[in-house]
Amino acid sequence: MPSTEEAYPSYRFYVEIAGVPQAVFTEVSGLQIETEITEYEEGGNNDFVHRLPGRTKIGNITLKRGMTSSNELLQWFLKIARGSIDRRNVTVIMYDSAGKELFRWNFIEAYPVKWTGPQFTAASTEAAVETLELTHNGMTIG
């Protein structure tokens, strides 16, 4: 029997940083939650191992976009590198093809931990891309 669930394409999304829409990102990755498992071997029972849930971790998110004349993301990272923690709430919003909001992931008090500039190749016609990896203090779904 076919499923009635519809799979949505992931190409329509926006990113907001500190409430300001940033629609120029071409890729968002790292939307993941993982629970560590602790194995407990019960004495006298050699054919069974208890697998108990442990700490849950939410991964860093990575944002990619074509280079623009603005160096705002690099400046934000350099501010962190100089020791001035500037936390900002970041939201990733997914839309359907008609423009209706489907999902919203809110990352609380995020800040950059890695910035990667473009790869330059003289023979390439690809857009120059910058990458920003953010850590955060938790995620909510809205």
Side-chain angles (χ1 to χ4, degrees), residues 2 6 12-13 29 31 52 72 76 95 102 112 120:
E6 181 180 351
R12 296 242 5 227
F13 65 93
S29 60
L31 296 173
L52 305 172
E72 175 187 355
W76 184 22
Y95 294 91
L102 297 172
F120 296 112

Side-chain angles (χ1 to χ4, degrees), residues 59-78:
N60 290 348
I61 58 171
T62 302
L63 308 175
K64 291 186 179 183
R65 74 173 186 179
M67 290 291 293
T68 65
S69 60
S70 168
N71 64 359
E72 175 187 355
L73 297 180
L74 176 57
Q75 291 299 326
W76 184 22
F77 175 75
L78 292 174

Side-chain angles (χ1 to χ4, degrees), residues 38-91:
T38 301
E39 292 188 352
Y40 177 75
E41 298 176 5
E42 185 177 345
N45 189 356
N46 295 331
D47 61 348
F48 181 77
V49 176
H50 294 278
R51 301 188 72 185
L52 305 172
R55 186 175 302 243
T56 298
K57 300 183 296 184
I58 301 174
N60 290 348
I61 58 171
T62 302
L63 308 175
K64 291 186 179 183
R65 74 173 186 179
M67 290 291 293
T68 65
S69 60
S70 168
N71 64 359
E72 175 187 355
L73 297 180
L74 176 57
Q75 291 299 326
W76 184 22
F77 175 75
L78 292 174
K79 187 175 183 180
I80 302 298
R82 289 188 297 266
S84 177
I85 304 297
D86 179 10
R87 298 174 189 265
R88 302 177 187 178
N89 293 332
V90 175
T91 302

Side-chain angles (χ1 to χ4, degrees), residues 30-35 55-61 106-107 134-140:
L31 296 173
Q32 65 185 36
I33 302 172
E34 178 182 356
T35 299
R55 186 175 302 243
T56 298
K57 300 183 296 184
I58 301 174
N60 290 348
I61 58 171
N106 303 298
F107 298 92
L134 303 172
T135 192
H136 52 86
N137 285 338
M139 177 184 77
T140 63

